[in-house]
C-alpha cells in the first residue's frame, strides 16, 4: 500500500491547500482517519474483534484541522507481514465509533488492496452501524489479494452504470463473499465503487483527482427533478450544479441562488450514418431537426402544422397523435 498511502497523502495536502473546490470548507463533523492491518501469522488464531497492540489500529479525529489530518497520514507506516486478507471492517468500525448518529452526508473513503478477513461476523452489524450514522461507504480498491471480481456481476445494473468506476487494464477474476462484501456495503449505503490498477503514486493521485470527489458540495439540497435529481455528471454540471462523484448525486451550488429542478431536454442525436432524416424537436411541436451526415439544423413547420414523428414530416394537428396533435384511434 506504499503507493496508495503516498497518493492519499498528496490528495489530502492538495485539499488543504485549496486545490479542490469541494474542499473549500472542512466537513462540519471533522475528518477521521482509521488504519487497519493483520499481524497474525497464517494459520494462527484470528479472533474478532482482534486483540493485539493498538499500533495496528490507529485512529485520528474527528478534527476540522485538515493540516493535522495530513500530519497524521504522514506518520502512517506500512507494516509488512500477513495482511492479506486483513481486518478491514474492524478499521471501518473504528471510524464509525466516533461518528454521532444521524450524521447525514458523511462519507468513508476506504483504501485497500486486500479482501476483508472479518466479513462473515462483521458485515451485518457494520451495515446497521453505517445506517445509524448516515454514512456512505466508498471503496477504492487496487486489488483483492488478487484481481477483484467485477462488481456488476452481482449488483443492480442501474447502480453499476451510475456508481461503479472500473479503470483496470487487467480485467476481473471470479471472487468470493469477502470482496463482494465491499460491493454490498457500498451498494446499501449509497457509495460509489472504484477499481484501478496498482500504479505509481503519481498515477494513483491522478485517478483520485479525476474520478473521486474529496470533500463536499456547498449544499446538501438535491438539484434536478426530485427526489433523485440529475443522475449524470453532464446533466448536473450543465445547470451549474455540483456533482459529487463519490456518491453519484447532484447538489445545488448555493443556498442563496435559484437551483434548477427542471428535467434536461436533450436534442436528438444526428449520426454520421444518418443520410437524410427528420427528428422531432422535444421542446417545440412546431419545429423539427433535419439531420444529414452528422450535421443538424433546426427547422420550422409550415404555419398551422406540427411535426409528426410517425411519418417523419410536418402534418396537420388533427392527423398527428398526442402530445403534439389531437388524433385518436
Amino acid at each position: 500500500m506504499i503507493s496508495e498511502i503516498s497518493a492519499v497523502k498528496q490528495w489530502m495536502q492538495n485539499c488543504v491547500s485549496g486545490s479542490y473546490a469541494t474542499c473549500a470548507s472542512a466537513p462540519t463533523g471533522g475528518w477521521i482517519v482509521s488504519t487497519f492491518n493483520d499481524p497474525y501469522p497464517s494459520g494462527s488464531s484470528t479472533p474478532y474483534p482482534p486483540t493485539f497492540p493498538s499500533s495496528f489500529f490507529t485512529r485520528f479525529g474527528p478534527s476540522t484541522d485538515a493540516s493535522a489530518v495530513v500530519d497524521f497520514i504522514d506518520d502512517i507506516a506500512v507494516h509488512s507481514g500477513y495482511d492479506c486478507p486483513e481486518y478491514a471492517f474492524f478499521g471501518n468500525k473504528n471510524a464509525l465509533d466516533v461518528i454521532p448518529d444521524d450524521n447525514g452526508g458523511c462519507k468513508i473513503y476506504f483504501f485497500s488492496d486486500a479482501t476483508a478477513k472479518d466479513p462473515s461476523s462483521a458485515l451485518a452489524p457494520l451495515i446497521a452501524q453505517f445506517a445509524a450514522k448516515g454514512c456512505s461507504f466508498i471503496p477504492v480498491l487496487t486489488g483483492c489479494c488478487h484481481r477483484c471480481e467485477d462488481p456488476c456481476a452481482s449488483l443492480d445494473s442501474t447502480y453499476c452504470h451510475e456508481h461503479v468506476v472500473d479503470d483496470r487494464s487487467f480485467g476481473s477474476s471470479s471472487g468470493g463473499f469477502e470482496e463482494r462484501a465491499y460491493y454490498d456495503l457500498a451498494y446499501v449505503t449509497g457509495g460509489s465503487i472504484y477499481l484501478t490498477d496498482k500504479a505509481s503514486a503519481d498515477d494513483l493521485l491522478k485517478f483520485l483527482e479525476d474520478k473521486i470527489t474529496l470533500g463536499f458540495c456547498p449544499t446538501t439540497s438535491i438539484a434536478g427533478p426530485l427526489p433523485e435529481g440529475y443522475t449524470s455528471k453532464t446533466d448536473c454540471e450543465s445547470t451549474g450544479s455540483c456533482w459529487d462523484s463519490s456518491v453519484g448525486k447532484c447538489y445545488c451550488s448555493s443556498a442563496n441562488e435559484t437551483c434548477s429542478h427542471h428535467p434536461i431536454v436533450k436534442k436528438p442525436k444526428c449520426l454520421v450514418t444518418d443520410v437524410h432524416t427528420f427528428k422531432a424537436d422535444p421542446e417545440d411541436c412546431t419545429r423539427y431537426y433535419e439531420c444529414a451526415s452528422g450535421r443538424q439544423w433546426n427547422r420550422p413547420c409550415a404555419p398551422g402544422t406540427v411535426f409528426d414523428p410517425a411519418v417523419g414530416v410536418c402534418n396537420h394537428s388533427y392527423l398527428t397523435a398526442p402530445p403534439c396533435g389531437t388524433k385518436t384511434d
Side-chain angles (χ1 to χ4, degrees):
M1 292 290 291
I2 294 175
S3 292
E4 289 91 329
I5 291 174
S6 178
V8 172
K9 286 179 182 178
Q10 189 62 54
W11 200 37
M12 285 296 302
Q13 287 165 346
N14 291 350
C15 174
V16 174
S17 67
S19 298
Y20 312 138
T22 50
C23 285
S25 58
T28 54
W31 301 93
I32 298 168
V33 181
S34 175
T35 66
F36 52 91
N37 208 303
D38 178 21
Y40 289 113
S42 177
S44 66
S45 175
T46 55
Y48 187 87
T51 54
F52 40 78
S54 60
S55 61
F56 286 100
F57 292 97
T58 57
R59 182 179 65 205
F60 173 87
S63 172
T64 56
D65 185 349
S67 295
V69 178
V70 172
D71 289 342
F72 177 83
I73 295 174
D74 252 342
D75 291 336
I76 293 175
V78 179
H79 291 278
S80 61
Y82 314 99
D83 57 342
C84 197
E86 54 200 0
Y87 280 99
F89 283 173
F90 187 74
N92 277 274
K93 180 184 181 301
N94 246 8
L96 288 165
D97 283 346
V98 293
I99 297 174
D101 286 349
D102 298 319
N103 191 43
C106 90
K107 299 188 286 188
I108 291 186
Y109 302 91
F110 170 83
F111 299 87
S112 185
D113 61 357
T115 51
K117 191 169 190 174
D118 45 4
S120 59
S121 53
L123 181 58
L126 197 61
I127 288 175
Q129 193 174 14
F130 265 93
K133 305 296 183 177
C135 297
S136 295
F137 175 70
I138 303 158
V140 184
L141 303 175
T142 56
C144 295
C145 297
H146 52 75
R147 292 198 303 272
C148 296
E149 181 177 277
D150 178 6
C152 297
S154 58
L155 295 178
D156 174 77
S157 59
T158 300
Y159 171 86
C160 282
H161 176 71
E162 297 175 354
H163 290 272
V164 175
V165 177
D166 190 342
D167 197 50
R168 296 172 298 170
S169 58
F170 298 107
S172 305
S173 67
S174 58
F177 173 72
E178 291 80 6
E179 62 198 70
R180 289 188 204 122
Y182 290 153
Y183 305 155
D184 292 344
L185 184 55
Y187 175 71
V188 299
T189 62
S192 295
I193 299 169
Y194 298 90
L195 299 102
T196 188
D197 298 325
K198 282 281 189 183
S200 68
D202 287 344
D203 287 340
L204 285 170
L205 176 62
K206 186 176 187 308
F207 175 81
L208 296 175
E209 293 179 325
D210 289 348
K211 304 296 184 182
I212 308 176
T213 302
L214 177 62
F216 300 85
C217 290
T219 76
T220 56
S221 299
I222 294 293
L226 300 174
E228 296 299 323
Y230 300 122
T231 57
S232 76
K233 181 179 181 180
T234 301
D235 288 353
C236 178
E237 294 184 344
S238 71
T239 66
S241 302
C242 177
W243 179 252
D244 188 335
S245 59
S246 60
V247 292
K249 291 185 181 295
C250 183
Y251 296 100
C252 301
S253 292
S254 171
N256 302 318
E257 298 177 7
T258 301
C259 182
S260 174
H261 295 290
H262 299 295
I264 299 295
V265 179
K266 297 182 180 180
K267 295 179 181 179
K269 291 183 179 180
C270 287
L271 306 176
V272 175
T273 52
D274 290 336
V275 179
H276 199 186
T277 57
F278 303 94
K279 301 183 180 184
D281 183 333
E283 296 183 279
D284 190 341
C285 288
T286 67
R287 302 185 71 87
Y288 62 94
Y289 285 95
E290 180 181 356
C291 297
S293 302
R295 300 179 66 188
Q296 183 183 80
W297 301 269
N298 189 243
R299 309 286 198 197
C301 288
T305 64
V306 296
F307 187 78
D308 185 348
V311 293
V313 296
C314 295
N315 204 349
H316 294 290
S317 60
Y318 64 86
L319 295 175
T320 305
C324 288
T326 58
K327 178 184 177 182
T328 58
D329 293 331

